[in-house]
Every structure is written in structure tokens, then in C-alpha cells.
Amino acid sequence: RPPGAAPAAVPPRPGPGGSLARRARAFWRSEGAEGGGAAAVMAEEEAAAAVPGAGAGKRLDPLVLLRNCTIAKKKVRIQDDILDFDGQHCHRETKCGFRLSPADACIDIGSVWYMLKEVSGDKPYTQDVARKRGFKFIGVASRGDLCDYLVGRNETCRGLVHEVLEGRKRPLDDRTDDPLAPKRRSSVAGKAAVAKVGVDVVAVVRSGSAKDFKITDLCYADVQERVRPVKDLDMLARCPGRMVPNADLILKIAQDEVNNWHSRRRDEQPERVARTKQPFIGELEGMLAEDKAANPIILVPCSKLAPVNLLNALQFLQEGEYFKTDAEHTKFFESTRKEFVEVVRNVRGRMWTFEVRDSAKNFTKSQWLRVVAVITDGSDWQFVGWPFRTVVDLFTSTKGVFFRENGTLTPLHVRDWAVSILEMQPLQFQHRYAEVRDEFWVEVGNFLQSSRMKKFSNSTALAKVRVSTEKALPVL
């Protein structure tokens, strides 16, 4: 350095409270800044690293930051896709420790923040509005528990990934060291170019002209000059003064490949693809590709006293409106009901048409393979003649659902079955039946994403199942 100049600053060594990259950024920023800018940057980054409860080397999950601000009634602001959690910043696409279902990946914190903002402000929050804003829609089935968790009513909720919240794991697609930067793809050549250009940037900063330097001043020619070219095969095989082992053999193999480039052996067998478990929805897509009318089937009880039957299944499963059948339709149940009704539902981003039937008489093998769910009322005669050995095999091959009416208790034998028990609401609370409908489709969607075990039987059929005569004790 020139005589009389101040000594150059020494880059700080990494400590337990921060990473080397963060301290290095603050150091190089301090070289070209005037006044106490470096001290402010270091103080801010040290405070962000030493968050209480996060532990050494662990970050605080964005969902925890949002919950803390909500409980403390502090407003979360967003600017240029950056969320400000009371002084701690995070990009809106950063994944947090919450997912809609076990088959889905972790959701971004921006979608959770936007849902909480719209719902708490009594604003319309629909799938179209969320998609136009660039956020992922959170359905009614997951929204209620998540809001209770964020406002502090509950300490946990369904869908939380505790390993991510506690800092023991990070989401799969959240591997960047800078939480303010969106995810970008990188290549080997790009990394080499950036590394070489980064050395020149450091040299410019050390020279004291960092204020006049901009990243946009770099052009493609500058990057190309600093990328070291890789030697081709000809240069590797003909290095003067060096012995290349097996050079003749390598050249002979390459020459044979060139000569036989356009000729292929007819006896060449294609590589066998390893068999992997295919989800049930993939099987249904294959059936639809062969036959456009091969829609998935949902079976309901053939009973006029069942809570969900063929007379009200369409309004309930599609529109979310539930009603009891009137006396005329109940009296002439056999003549007034249709053979089946069609329900349209969006499952995993695709519109599916489901056939709702209440009779499996004369079902073919292809129709049984398309049965995705069975709604049961707990009667002993509903499954008579079905091609299964036991009830266990039935609810292994299909998804079982039991709707418990308000004011009644679940039978003891239904509790032993592998079915999802969904509670019905009083008739005057019609707005709650949409949530019950969404819970039903969440259970069906999770079953479609799993790999189904087929337990059909060609030799035996189910008889009347054993029904428990004991009454369940009410909870006082």
C-alpha cells in the first residue's frame, strides 16, 4: 500500500453465530462503502443469525416467523417479492414447514401469507384469485386448522413438518444460502465463469473503485475470455512427450464406432425398465386412454335411510349442499332413483368424472378395477356378493368412508374397519357441508396418489358381515 495509507482490513474469521459467506459479503461491502455501512450490515446479519430458539447454524422457518408476527399483531409487509417479518426478510417462494397432504411437497410461505391476509380481511379467496396473484390455493380442509395455528389458538395442526420447523431438515427445493434470492439453475460452465469473474470483482473492489462498478457492465466477451477451455479428445490422445496408456485401443474402439455409426444390430434388445410402484391414478389414466367411457366409480349404500345415497349424492359431493329426501322419493325409492349419477371434480389439477352407483350387481372385472371409494352405512348386507374374501381385503383395494350423522354414535364394528369417519353437521348449518365435501375428496385424492394393493378374489364372495350389537358409550 502507498506510504501513509490506512492498513487494509482483514476479512473476519467465521464464528459460531454466522457462516463464512455472510461475513465475507459484509467484508467486501465494507471495502467500497463510506462511513459505518459495514458495521450496520454486520450487526443486521449477526442479529438474523442469532435468533432465539433457532440454534447454532439453524435458520428459523418462515412459517414460525409468520406465526410469531401474527400472535404479536405485527404487520407483515411485502415489497419486490420479499416478505418482511419484523426486520427479518424472506423471499415469497421460500418453502416452509407445511404441506397440504403427505404426498405433496412443502408449500411456499407466500401462499400461506396471502391466504391468511385475505381470510382475516374477509376478502374473497378463491382458486382463481390465488392463481392470478401467483400463489398456490389452500383448500377449506386445510385452511381452518392452519389459521388456528397461525393465530395461536392451537400449538400444532395437520400438515406441519416438524423436522423442517425445528431446523433439523430443510425442504428439498430450498437449498440456497441466500433466503432473499429465488431459485435458479446453474451449470458447470456457468459456475466456472462466475468464479473467475468474481475474482476480478474482488480485485476491482480492492482497488477502491467499487462504487463505479456494476454487474451489468460485464458482457459475454468478458466471460468467455475468463473461462478456461477443456481439451478435446484429439489433444488428450496426442500429447507430445507424454505416454498415453492404451491409446491404440482407444483409437481402435473410436474408429469402429465411427464405421458402424449408421448400422444397428437387429438383435439388440431394448433396455428393461425397472418396475416401480405406479400410483392408482396412473392406472385410471391408462384405462381412460383405452376407453373414454371408463370413468372411476364410487359406490354408495342402496338404502333410502342412509345419510348419503343416490338421491342426494350429486348435490352433496359436487355442490356441497346436503338435504334429506322427501317422503315421496323415500316411498318410491326404487323407481325414482337413477342407475348412476356423474360427479365432476378437480383432482391434482385435472378434471375427473366419477360415476356414483349404489348397486354392484353384474359388475364386470374392468368395472371393479375402476372402483376407487366405497361409502358405507355400516349395514351387514351392503357387501353381499362382492368379490373379496374379507372386509379387510375390500377396504385395502378401495377407500372406505363412513358419514356419521349428527347426534348418533359410530357403531363398534365400523370402528374396526379401515375407513375414514367423517362427521356430518346439523341441517341448519349448510355452509359447513362444503368442508365435509372437501374432506371427502382429500381422502379420495390421497388414496389415488398411493399405490393400490389389489385384494380381489375370483373364487369366493363376501357374505353378510358380522355386525356388533353392542352400543358405543357416549362421551359425556
Side-chain angles (χ1 to χ4, degrees), residues 117-126:
K117 171 177 170 292
E118 296 297 309
V119 172
S120 59
D122 292 335
K123 297 180 180 179
Y125 179 71
T126 60

Side-chain angles (χ1 to χ4, degrees), residues 242-259:
R242 296 184 182 181
M243 294 296 296
V244 180
N246 300 327
D248 296 335
L249 179 61
I250 294 173
L251 294 177
K252 182 178 181 301
I253 294 174
Q255 187 65 36
D256 294 341
E257 186 176 358
V258 171
N259 296 335

Side-chain angles (χ1 to χ4, degrees), residues 311-325:
L311 297 179
N312 57 8
L314 177 60
Q315 288 294 115
F316 175 61
L317 297 181
Q318 181 165 327
E319 304 298 336
E321 300 174 0
Y322 181 76
F323 62 93
K324 289 282 188 178
T325 55

Side-chain angles (χ1 to χ4, degrees), residues 270-385:
E271 296 183 0
R272 293 184 178 181
V273 180
R275 291 186 177 182
T276 57
K277 291 185 177 180
Q278 185 182 16
F280 188 19
I281 195 171
E283 299 179 14
L284 295 176
E285 290 175 351
M287 297 177 188
L288 274 176
E290 297 177 359
D291 185 7
K292 297 298 182 181
N295 295 321
I297 299 174
I298 299 175
L299 293 176
V300 298
C302 183
S303 173
K304 56 188 175 182
L305 301 179
V308 178
N309 51 40
L310 203 60
L311 297 179
N312 57 8
L314 177 60
Q315 288 294 115
F316 175 61
L317 297 181
Q318 181 165 327
E319 304 298 336
E321 300 174 0
Y322 181 76
F323 62 93
K324 289 282 188 178
T325 55
D326 53 5
E328 181 180 358
H329 287 83
T330 303
K331 183 177 180 180
F332 304 98
F333 177 77
E334 296 293 335
S335 59
T336 56
R337 62 188 178 92
K338 301 179 181 179
E339 181 182 357
F340 67 93
V341 294
E342 293 184 349
V343 177
V344 180
R345 181 70 180 183
N346 189 339
V347 179
R348 308 295 181 183
R350 176 178 175 178
M351 301 302 295
W352 287 83
T353 302
F354 295 84
E355 293 181 9
V356 181
R357 298 174 177 267
D358 63 351
S359 176
K361 188 178 181 180
N362 300 327
F363 256 27
T364 61
K365 182 178 180 180
S366 61
Q367 285 179 311
W368 278 114
L369 292 176
R370 291 188 279 121
V371 176
V372 298
V374 174
I375 299 176
T376 178
D377 60 348
S379 59
D380 58 345
W381 51 266
Q382 182 181 0
F383 315 130
V384 174

